[in-house]
Amino acid sequence: MLTIFQKATILSKAGFEVPACPAEDASAGAVSQKMHDWAKAIETLYVSYVAARAAKSLRDAEESRQTDMLRRLSLSAWAA
């Protein structure tokens, strides 16, 4: 499973505008609210990114299937 920092890197490399990671408060033992909000924003962006990639993959597969079907129909029409 990817860490939140790995997801932020992937999003950044994919061209998404990733919010800057807030500085950790050394005096706080628990994760700060700002860090929690940042992680939630990254997760939301990452889910959108993955869904968009999956949708594109499905569109590309359907386009390829239709092109192949048209090519086969065209070849059978010429053969007849």
Coordinates of all heavy atoms in Angstrom, one line a residue:
M1 N 0.8 -1.2 0.0 CA 0.0 0.0 0.0 C 0.9 1.2 0.0 O 1.9 1.3 0.7 CB -0.9 0.0 1.2 CG -2.0 1.0 1.2 SD -3.2 0.5 2.4 CE -4.0 2.1 2.6
L2 N 0.5 2.2 -0.8 CA 1.3 3.4 -0.9 C 1.1 4.3 0.4 O 0.0 4.4 0.9 CB 0.8 4.2 -2.1 CG 1.1 3.5 -3.5 CD1 0.4 4.3 -4.6 CD2 2.5 3.3 -3.7
T3 N 2.2 5.0 0.7 CA 2.1 6.0 1.8 C 1.5 7.3 1.2 O 1.4 7.5 0.0 CB 3.4 6.3 2.4 OG1 4.2 7.0 1.4 CG2 4.1 5.1 2.9
I4 N 1.0 8.2 2.1 CA 0.5 9.4 1.7 C 1.5 10.3 0.9 O 1.2 11.0 0.0 CB -0.1 10.2 2.9 CG1 -1.1 11.3 2.4 CG2 0.9 10.7 3.8 CD1 -2.3 10.8 1.8
F5 N 2.8 10.1 1.3 CA 3.8 10.9 0.6 C 4.1 10.3 -0.8 O 4.4 11.1 -1.7 CB 5.1 10.9 1.5 CG 4.9 11.5 2.8 CD1 4.9 10.8 4.0 CD2 4.8 12.9 2.9 CE1 4.7 11.3 5.2 CE2 4.6 13.5 4.2 CZ 4.5 12.7 5.3
Q6 N 4.0 9.0 -0.9 CA 4.1 8.4 -2.3 C 3.0 8.9 -3.2 O 3.2 9.1 -4.4 CB 4.2 6.9 -2.2 CG 5.5 6.4 -1.5 CD 5.4 4.9 -1.2 OE1 4.3 4.4 -0.8 NE2 6.5 4.2 -1.4
K7 N 1.8 8.9 -2.6 CA 0.6 9.3 -3.4 C 0.8 10.8 -3.8 O 0.5 11.2 -5.0 CB -0.7 9.2 -2.6 CG -1.0 7.7 -2.4 CD -2.3 7.6 -1.6 CE -2.6 6.1 -1.3 NZ -3.8 5.9 -0.5
A8 N 1.3 11.6 -2.9 CA 1.5 13.0 -3.3 C 2.6 13.2 -4.4 O 2.4 14.0 -5.3 CB 2.0 13.8 -2.0
T9 N 3.6 12.3 -4.3 CA 4.6 12.4 -5.4 C 4.0 11.9 -6.7 O 4.3 12.6 -7.8 CB 5.8 11.4 -5.0 OG1 6.3 11.9 -3.7 CG2 6.9 11.4 -6.1
I10 N 3.2 10.9 -6.7 CA 2.6 10.4 -8.0 C 1.7 11.5 -8.6 O 1.8 11.8 -9.8 CB 1.8 9.1 -7.7 CG1 2.7 8.0 -7.4 CG2 0.9 8.8 -8.9 CD1 2.1 6.7 -6.8
L11 N 0.9 12.1 -7.7 CA 0.0 13.2 -8.2 C 0.8 14.3 -8.8 O 0.5 14.9 -9.8 CB -0.8 13.7 -7.0 CG -1.9 12.7 -6.6 CD1 -2.5 13.2 -5.2 CD2 -3.0 12.6 -7.6
S12 N 1.9 14.7 -8.1 CA 2.7 15.8 -8.6 C 3.3 15.5 -9.9 O 3.3 16.3 -10.8 CB 3.8 16.1 -7.5 OG 4.7 17.1 -8.0
K13 N 3.8 14.3 -10.1 CA 4.4 13.9 -11.4 C 3.4 13.8 -12.5 O 3.7 13.9 -13.6 CB 5.2 12.5 -11.2 CG 6.5 12.6 -10.4 CD 7.2 11.3 -10.3 CE 8.5 11.5 -9.5 NZ 9.2 10.2 -9.4
A14 N 2.1 13.5 -12.1 CA 1.1 13.4 -13.1 C 0.5 14.8 -13.5 O -0.4 14.9 -14.3 CB -0.1 12.5 -12.5
G15 N 1.0 15.8 -12.8 CA 0.6 17.2 -13.2 C -0.4 17.8 -12.3 O -0.9 18.9 -12.7
F16 N -0.8 17.1 -11.3 CA -1.8 17.7 -10.3 C -1.1 18.7 -9.5 O 0.1 18.6 -9.1 CB -2.4 16.6 -9.4 CG -3.4 15.8 -10.1 CD1 -3.1 14.8 -11.0 CD2 -4.8 16.0 -9.8 CE1 -4.1 14.0 -11.6 CE2 -5.7 15.2 -10.4 CZ -5.4 14.3 -11.3
E17 N -1.9 19.7 -9.1 CA -1.4 20.8 -8.1 C -1.6 20.2 -6.7 O -2.7 20.2 -6.2 CB -2.1 22.1 -8.3 CG -1.4 23.2 -7.6 CD -2.1 24.5 -7.9 OE1 -2.4 24.7 -9.1 OE2 -2.2 25.4 -7.0
V18 N -0.5 19.8 -6.1 CA -0.5 19.1 -4.8 C -0.3 20.2 -3.7 O 0.7 20.9 -3.8 CB 0.5 18.0 -4.7 CG1 0.5 17.4 -3.3 CG2 0.3 17.0 -5.8
P19 N -1.2 20.3 -2.7 CA -0.9 21.2 -1.7 C 0.4 20.9 -0.9 O 0.7 19.7 -0.8 CB -2.1 21.1 -0.8 CG -2.8 19.9 -1.2 CD -2.4 19.5 -2.5
A20 N 1.0 21.9 -0.5 CA 2.3 21.7 0.3 C 2.0 21.0 1.6 O 1.0 21.3 2.3 CB 3.0 23.0 0.5
C21 N 2.9 20.1 2.0 CA 2.8 19.4 3.2 C 3.1 20.3 4.4 O 4.1 21.0 4.4 CB 3.8 18.2 3.2 SG 3.7 17.2 4.7
P22 N 2.2 20.4 5.4 CA 2.4 21.3 6.5 C 3.6 20.8 7.3 O 3.9 19.6 7.4 CB 1.1 21.2 7.3 CG 0.5 19.9 6.9 CD 0.9 19.6 5.5
A23 N 4.3 21.7 8.0 CA 5.4 21.3 8.8 C 4.9 20.6 10.1 O 3.9 20.9 10.6 CB 6.2 22.5 9.2
E24 N 5.6 19.5 10.4 CA 5.3 18.8 11.7 C 5.6 19.6 12.9 O 6.7 20.2 13.0 CB 6.1 17.5 11.7 CG 5.5 16.4 10.8 CD 4.1 15.9 11.3 OE1 3.9 15.8 12.5 OE2 3.3 15.5 10.4
D25 N 4.7 19.6 13.8 CA 5.0 20.3 15.1 C 5.7 19.3 16.0 O 5.1 18.3 16.5 CB 3.7 20.8 15.7 CG 3.8 21.6 17.0 OD1 5.0 21.9 17.3 OD2 2.8 22.0 17.6
A26 N 7.0 19.6 16.3 CA 7.8 18.7 17.1 C 7.3 18.5 18.5 O 7.5 17.5 19.2 CB 9.2 19.1 17.1
S27 N 6.6 19.6 19.0 CA 6.1 19.5 20.4 C 4.9 18.7 20.6 O 4.5 18.2 21.6 CB 5.9 20.9 20.9 OG 4.9 21.6 20.2
A28 N 4.1 18.5 19.5 CA 2.9 17.8 19.5 C 3.2 16.3 19.4 O 3.9 15.9 18.4 CB 1.9 18.2 18.5
G29 N 2.6 15.5 20.2 CA 2.8 14.0 20.1 C 2.0 13.4 19.1 O 2.3 12.5 18.4
A30 N 0.8 13.9 18.9 CA -0.2 13.4 17.9 C 0.0 14.1 16.6 O 0.6 15.2 16.5 CB -1.6 13.6 18.5
V31 N -0.6 13.6 15.6 CA -0.6 14.2 14.3 C -1.4 15.5 14.4 O -2.5 15.4 14.9 CB -1.1 13.2 13.2 CG1 -1.2 13.9 11.9 CG2 -0.3 12.0 13.2
S32 N -0.9 16.5 13.8 CA -1.6 17.8 13.9 C -2.8 17.8 13.0 O -2.9 17.0 12.0 CB -0.7 18.9 13.5 OG -0.4 18.8 12.1
Q33 N -3.8 18.6 13.3 CA -5.0 18.7 12.5 C -4.6 19.2 11.0 O -5.3 18.7 10.1 CB -6.0 19.7 13.1 CG -7.3 19.8 12.4 CD -8.1 18.5 12.4 OE1 -8.0 17.7 13.3 NE2 -8.7 18.2 11.2
K34 N -3.6 20.0 10.9 CA -3.2 20.5 9.6 C -2.7 19.3 8.7 O -3.0 19.2 7.6 CB -2.2 21.6 9.6 CG -2.7 22.9 10.1 CD -1.5 23.9 10.1 CE -2.0 25.2 10.7 NZ -1.0 26.2 10.8
M35 N -1.9 18.4 9.4 CA -1.4 17.3 8.7 C -2.5 16.3 8.3 O -2.5 15.8 7.2 CB -0.4 16.6 9.6 CG 0.4 15.5 8.9 SD 1.4 16.2 7.5 CE 2.5 14.8 7.3
H36 N -3.5 16.2 9.2 CA -4.6 15.3 8.9 C -5.4 15.8 7.7 O -5.8 15.1 6.9 CB -5.5 15.2 10.2 CG -6.7 14.4 10.0 ND1 -6.7 13.0 9.9 CD2 -8.0 14.7 9.8 CE1 -7.9 12.5 9.7 NE2 -8.7 13.5 9.7
D37 N -5.7 17.1 7.7 CA -6.4 17.8 6.6 C -5.6 17.6 5.3 O -6.2 17.4 4.2 CB -6.7 19.2 6.9 CG -7.7 19.4 8.1 OD1 -8.4 18.5 8.4 OD2 -7.7 20.6 8.6
W38 N -4.3 17.8 5.4 CA -3.5 17.6 4.2 C -3.6 16.2 3.6 O -3.8 16.0 2.4 CB -2.0 18.0 4.5 CG -1.1 17.8 3.3 CD1 -0.9 18.6 2.3 CD2 -0.2 16.7 3.1 NE1 0.0 18.1 1.4 CE2 0.4 16.9 1.9 CE3 0.1 15.5 3.8 CZ2 1.4 16.0 1.4 CZ3 1.0 14.6 3.3 CH2 1.6 14.9 2.1
A39 N -3.5 15.2 4.5 CA -3.6 13.8 4.1 C -4.9 13.5 3.5 O -5.0 12.8 2.5 CB -3.3 12.9 5.3
K40 N -6.0 14.1 4.0 CA -7.3 13.9 3.5 C -7.4 14.5 2.1 O -8.0 13.9 1.2 CB -8.4 14.5 4.4 CG -9.8 14.2 4.0 CD -10.8 14.7 5.1 CE -12.2 14.4 4.7 NZ -13.1 14.9 5.6
A41 N -6.8 15.7 1.9 CA -6.8 16.3 0.6 C -6.1 15.4 -0.4 O -6.5 15.3 -1.6 CB -6.2 17.7 0.7
I42 N -4.9 14.9 0.0 CA -4.2 14.1 -0.9 C -4.9 12.8 -1.3 O -5.0 12.4 -2.4 CB -2.8 13.7 -0.3 CG1 -1.9 14.9 -0.1 CG2 -2.0 12.7 -1.1 CD1 -1.6 15.7 -1.4
E43 N -5.6 12.2 -0.3 CA -6.4 11.0 -0.5 C -7.5 11.3 -1.5 O -7.7 10.5 -2.4 CB -6.9 10.4 0.8 CG -5.9 9.7 1.7 CD -5.4 8.4 1.1 OE1 -6.0 7.9 0.1 OE2 -4.4 8.0 1.6
T44 N -8.2 12.4 -1.4 CA -9.3 12.8 -2.3 C -8.7 13.0 -3.7 O -9.3 12.5 -4.6 CB -9.9 14.0 -1.8 OG1 -10.4 13.8 -0.4 CG2 -11.1 14.4 -2.7
L45 N -7.6 13.7 -3.8 CA -7.1 13.9 -5.1 C -6.6 12.6 -5.8 O -6.8 12.3 -7.0 CB -5.8 14.8 -5.1 CG -6.1 16.3 -4.9 CD1 -4.8 17.0 -4.6 CD2 -6.8 16.8 -6.1
Y46 N -6.1 11.7 -5.0 CA -5.6 10.4 -5.5 C -6.7 9.5 -6.0 O -6.6 8.9 -7.0 CB -4.7 9.7 -4.4 CG -4.0 8.5 -5.0 CD1 -2.8 8.7 -5.7 CD2 -4.4 7.2 -4.7 CE1 -2.1 7.6 -6.3 CE2 -3.7 6.1 -5.3 CZ -2.6 6.4 -6.0 OH -1.9 5.3 -6.6
V47 N -7.8 9.5 -5.2 CA -9.0 8.7 -5.7 C -9.5 9.2 -7.0 O -9.8 8.5 -7.9 CB -10.1 8.7 -4.6 CG1 -11.4 8.2 -5.1 CG2 -9.6 7.9 -3.4
S48 N -9.5 10.5 -7.1 CA -10.0 11.1 -8.4 C -9.0 10.8 -9.5 O -9.5 10.4 -10.7 CB -10.0 12.7 -8.3 OG -11.0 13.0 -7.3
Y49 N -7.7 10.8 -9.3 CA -6.7 10.5 -10.3 C -6.9 9.0 -10.7 O -6.9 8.7 -11.9 CB -5.3 10.7 -9.7 CG -4.2 10.1 -10.4 CD1 -3.8 10.6 -11.7 CD2 -3.4 9.1 -9.9 CE1 -2.8 10.1 -12.4 CE2 -2.4 8.5 -10.6 CZ -2.0 9.0 -11.8 OH -1.0 8.5 -12.5
V50 N -7.0 8.1 -9.7 CA -7.1 6.7 -10.1 C -8.4 6.4 -10.8 O -8.4 5.6 -11.8 CB -7.1 5.8 -8.8 CG1 -7.4 4.4 -9.0 CG2 -5.7 5.9 -8.2
A51 N -9.5 7.0 -10.5 CA -10.8 6.9 -11.2 C -10.7 7.4 -12.6 O -11.2 6.7 -13.5 CB -11.9 7.6 -10.4
A52 N -10.0 8.5 -12.8 CA -9.8 9.0 -14.2 C -9.0 8.1 -15.0 O -9.3 7.9 -16.2 CB -9.2 10.4 -14.1
R53 N -7.9 7.5 -14.4 CA -7.1 6.6 -15.2 C -7.9 5.3 -15.6 O -7.8 4.8 -16.7 CB -5.9 6.2 -14.4 CG -4.8 7.3 -14.3 CD -3.5 6.8 -13.7 NE -3.1 5.6 -14.3 CZ -2.0 4.9 -13.9 NH1 -1.4 5.3 -12.8 NH2 -1.7 3.8 -14.5
A54 N -8.7 4.8 -14.6 CA -9.5 3.7 -14.9 C -10.5 3.9 -16.0 O -10.7 3.1 -16.9 CB -10.2 3.2 -13.7
A55 N -11.2 5.1 -16.0 CA -12.1 5.5 -17.0 C -11.5 5.6 -18.4 O -12.0 5.1 -19.4 CB -12.8 6.8 -16.6
K56 N -10.3 6.2 -18.4 CA -9.5 6.3 -19.7 C -9.2 4.9 -20.2 O -9.3 4.7 -21.4 CB -8.3 7.1 -19.5 CG -7.5 7.3 -20.8 CD -6.2 8.1 -20.6 CE -5.5 8.3 -21.9 NZ -5.4 7.2 -22.8
S57 N -8.8 4.0 -19.3 CA -8.4 2.7 -19.8 C -9.6 2.0 -20.4 O -9.5 1.3 -21.4 CB -7.9 1.9 -18.6 OG -7.6 0.6 -18.9
L58 N -10.8 2.1 -19.7 CA -12.0 1.5 -20.3 C -12.4 2.1 -21.6 O -12.8 1.4 -22.5 CB -13.1 1.7 -19.3 CG -13.0 0.8 -18.0 CD1 -14.1 1.2 -17.0 CD2 -13.1 -0.6 -18.3
R59 N -12.3 3.5 -21.7 CA -12.6 4.1 -23.0 C -11.6 3.6 -24.1 O -12.1 3.3 -25.2 CB -12.5 5.6 -22.9 CG -13.7 6.3 -22.2 CD -13.7 7.8 -22.3 NE -12.4 8.4 -21.9 CZ -12.1 8.8 -20.7 NH1 -13.0 8.6 -19.7 NH2 -11.0 9.4 -20.4
D60 N -10.4 3.5 -23.8 CA -9.4 3.0 -24.8 C -9.7 1.6 -25.2 O -9.6 1.3 -26.4 CB -8.0 3.1 -24.2 CG -7.5 4.6 -24.1 OD1 -8.2 5.5 -24.6 OD2 -6.4 4.8 -23.4
A61 N -10.0 0.7 -24.3 CA -10.3 -0.7 -24.6 C -11.6 -0.7 -25.5 O -11.6 -1.5 -26.4 CB -10.5 -1.5 -23.3
E62 N -12.6 0.1 -25.2 CA -13.8 0.0 -26.0 C -13.5 0.6 -27.4 O -14.0 0.0 -28.4 CB -14.9 0.9 -25.3 CG -16.2 1.0 -26.1 CD -16.9 -0.4 -26.3 OE1 -16.5 -1.4 -25.7 OE2 -17.7 -0.4 -27.2
E63 N -12.7 1.6 -27.5 CA -12.4 2.1 -28.8 C -11.6 1.1 -29.6 O -11.9 0.9 -30.8 CB -11.5 3.4 -28.6 CG -11.1 4.0 -29.9 CD -10.2 5.2 -29.8 OE1 -10.2 5.8 -28.7 OE2 -9.6 5.6 -30.7
S64 N -10.7 0.4 -29.0 CA -9.9 -0.7 -29.6 C -10.9 -1.8 -30.1 O -10.7 -2.3 -31.2 CB -8.9 -1.2 -28.7 OG -8.2 -2.3 -29.3
R65 N -11.8 -2.2 -29.2 CA -12.8 -3.2 -29.6 C -13.6 -2.8 -30.8 O -13.8 -3.6 -31.7 CB -13.7 -3.5 -28.4 CG -14.6 -4.7 -28.6 CD -15.7 -4.8 -27.6 NE -16.6 -3.7 -27.7 CZ -17.6 -3.6 -28.6 NH1 -17.8 -4.6 -29.5 NH2 -18.5 -2.6 -28.6
Q66 N -14.1 -1.6 -30.8 CA -14.9 -1.1 -31.9 C -14.1 -1.0 -33.2 O -14.6 -1.4 -34.3 CB -15.5 0.2 -31.6 CG -16.6 0.1 -30.6 CD -17.2 1.5 -30.3 OE1 -16.8 2.5 -30.7 NE2 -18.3 1.5 -29.4
T67 N -12.9 -0.6 -33.1 CA -12.0 -0.5 -34.3 C -11.7 -1.9 -34.9 O -11.8 -2.1 -36.1 CB -10.7 0.2 -33.9 OG1 -11.0 1.5 -33.4 CG2 -9.8 0.3 -35.1
D68 N -11.5 -2.8 -34.0 CA -11.2 -4.2 -34.4 C -12.5 -4.8 -35.1 O -12.4 -5.4 -36.2 CB -10.8 -5.0 -33.3 CG -10.4 -6.4 -33.7 OD1 -9.5 -6.6 -34.6 OD2 -10.9 -7.4 -33.1
M69 N -13.6 -4.5 -34.5 CA -14.9 -5.0 -35.1 C -15.1 -4.4 -36.5 O -15.5 -5.1 -37.5 CB -16.1 -4.7 -34.2 CG -17.4 -5.2 -34.7 SD -18.8 -4.7 -33.7 CE -18.8 -2.9 -34.0
L70 N -14.9 -3.1 -36.6 CA -15.1 -2.4 -37.9 C -14.1 -3.0 -39.0 O -14.4 -3.1 -40.1 CB -15.0 -0.9 -37.8 CG -16.1 -0.2 -37.0 CD1 -15.8 1.2 -36.8 CD2 -17.4 -0.4 -37.8
R71 N -12.9 -3.2 -38.5 CA -11.8 -3.7 -39.4 C -12.3 -5.1 -39.9 O -12.2 -5.4 -41.1 CB -10.5 -3.8 -38.7 CG -9.4 -4.2 -39.6 CD -8.0 -4.2 -38.9 NE -7.7 -2.9 -38.4 CZ -7.5 -2.7 -37.1 NH1 -7.6 -3.6 -36.2 NH2 -7.2 -1.5 -36.7
R72 N -12.8 -6.0 -39.0 CA -13.2 -7.3 -39.4 C -14.4 -7.2 -40.4 O -14.5 -8.0 -41.4 CB -13.5 -8.2 -38.2 CG -12.3 -8.7 -37.6 CD -12.6 -9.7 -36.4 NE -12.8 -8.9 -35.2 CZ -13.8 -9.0 -34.4 NH1 -14.8 -9.8 -34.7 NH2 -13.9 -8.3 -33.4
L73 N -15.3 -6.3 -40.1 CA -16.5 -6.2 -41.0 C -16.1 -5.7 -42.3 O -16.6 -6.1 -43.4 CB -17.5 -5.2 -40.4 CG -18.3 -5.7 -39.2 CD1 -19.1 -4.6 -38.5 CD2 -19.2 -6.9 -39.6
S74 N -15.1 -4.8 -42.4 CA -14.6 -4.3 -43.6 C -13.9 -5.3 -44.5 O -14.2 -5.5 -45.7 CB -13.7 -3.1 -43.4 OG -13.1 -2.6 -44.6
L75 N -13.1 -6.2 -43.8 CA -12.5 -7.3 -44.5 C -13.4 -8.3 -45.0 O -13.3 -8.8 -46.2 CB -11.5 -7.9 -43.6 CG -10.2 -7.1 -43.2 CD1 -9.4 -7.9 -42.2 CD2 -9.4 -6.9 -44.5
S76 N -14.5 -8.6 -44.3 CA -15.5 -9.6 -44.8 C -16.3 -9.0 -45.9 O -16.7 -9.7 -46.8 CB -16.4 -10.0 -43.6 OG -17.1 -9.0 -43.1
A77 N -16.5 -7.7 -45.9 CA -17.3 -7.0 -47.0 C -16.5 -7.1 -48.3 O -17.0 -7.3 -49.4 CB -17.6 -5.6 -46.6
W78 N -15.2 -6.9 -48.2 CA -14.3 -6.9 -49.4 C -14.2 -8.4 -49.9 O -14.0 -8.6 -51.1 CB -12.9 -6.3 -49.1 CG -12.9 -4.9 -49.1 CD1 -13.0 -4.0 -48.1 CD2 -12.8 -4.0 -50.3 NE1 -12.9 -2.7 -48.5 CE2 -12.9 -2.7 -49.8 CE3 -12.8 -4.3 -51.6 CZ2 -12.8 -1.6 -50.7 CZ3 -12.7 -3.3 -52.5 CH2 -12.8 -1.9 -52.1
A79 N -14.2 -9.3 -49.0 CA -14.1 -10.7 -49.4 C -15.3 -11.3 -50.1 O -15.2 -12.2 -50.9 CB -13.7 -11.6 -48.2
A80 N -16.4 -10.7 -49.8 CA -17.7 -11.2 -50.4 C -17.9 -10.7 -51.8 O -17.3 -10.0 -52.5 CB -18.9 -10.6 -49.6

